[in-house]
Amino acid sequence: MVEVTVTPQSSLADQPVQVQVRGLSPSQLVTLRASLTDEQGERFQARAFFHADREGEVDPGRHAALGGSYAGVWPMGLFWFLQPDTLFRRLVKRDVAGSPFLVRLEVFDGLCLVTGPQDQLLASCEAERWYVGPGVQRVPIREGRVRGALFLPP
C-alpha cells in the first residue's frame, strides 16, 4: 500500500517539512503533486517526477526530481515552486492569524503533466501551513500615515 506523509503535518509556513512516499515498487516512476487553493479560490500547484529507490521510497530531500516544476534535490521544492493555474496571480495569505493554507500532496503512477480522470492516484495527504504561531497576538497599527500590524509573542 502506497503512503505519502508530511512531517510535521501542521507547521509554520517558514518551517521546513519532510515529504516521504513509501510502498512503491523499486524504480517505479511517480509524479508528486502539491496543490492549494487560496482565500480567493485561485489554485496553485507544483509537480515533480521521481524514480523510487530500491526500498520503494521517494524523499525529495534525498532523491533528485527528474523534472516537472523543478529538477534536482529540493527538500521543500513542492512548496517553493507552487504556481497559479491563472497567469499573473500571486500567492498571498490575507488572514494570517485565522486559518492555515491547506496543501494537498498527491502521488500518481507514472508521468502526469496534466492530471485527468485516467491518472491513477496512489496516495494523498494534507499539510497545514500556518503564518502565525499559537498564542501570538496581532495588534493593528494606525499612527498618522503609518499602517501595519505588530505581532506579539505569548
Side-chain angles (χ1 to χ4, degrees), residues 52-73:
D53 63 14
R54 285 178 277 177
E55 288 79 38
E57 297 181 358
V58 169
D59 179 349
R62 293 186 300 124
H63 303 117
L66 306 173
S69 301
Y70 66 95
V73 178

Side-chain angles (χ1 to χ4, degrees), residues 9-13 36-39 91-104 126-133:
Q9 186 270 332
S10 182
S11 61
L12 291 174
L36 69 83
T37 303
D38 72 5
E39 295 152 329
L91 183 59
V92 176
K93 182 72 171 132
R94 301 210 186 283
D95 180 17
V96 295
S99 64
F101 270 143
L102 296 176
V103 181
R104 182 169 175 79
E126 275 194 345
E128 294 179 351
R129 302 294 281 172
W130 290 89
Y131 282 77
V132 176

Side-chain angles (χ1 to χ4, degrees), residues 11-131:
S11 61
L12 291 174
D14 61 350
Q15 179 183 9
V17 295
Q18 183 178 19
V19 176
Q20 287 189 311
V21 181
R22 294 185 181 93
L24 300 168
S25 300
S27 299
Q28 182 177 354
L29 182 62
V30 294
T31 300
L32 266 65
R33 181 178 71 179
S35 62
L36 69 83
T37 303
D38 72 5
E39 295 152 329
Q40 292 160 345
E42 186 64 41
R43 193 169 96 158
F44 292 77
Q45 58 182 331
R47 68 186 72 233
F49 313 124
F50 293 92
H51 274 295
D53 63 14
R54 285 178 277 177
E55 288 79 38
E57 297 181 358
V58 169
D59 179 349
R62 293 186 300 124
H63 303 117
L66 306 173
S69 301
Y70 66 95
V73 178
W74 291 81
M76 294 291 294
L78 290 168
F79 294 85
W80 290 340
F81 290 99
L82 288 166
Q83 293 294 313
D85 285 353
T86 306
L87 292 176
F88 308 114
R89 301 289 181 160
R90 291 183 48 201
L91 183 59
V92 176
K93 182 72 171 132
R94 301 210 186 283
D95 180 17
V96 295
S99 64
F101 270 143
L102 296 176
V103 181
R104 182 169 175 79
L105 292 159
E106 299 169 311
V107 182
F108 294 94
D109 188 29
L111 290 176
C112 297
L113 297 174
V114 178
T115 309
Q118 75 282 359
D119 295 315
Q120 183 181 359
L121 177 65
L122 300 175
S124 66
C125 72
E126 275 194 345
E128 294 179 351
R129 302 294 281 172
W130 290 89
Y131 282 77

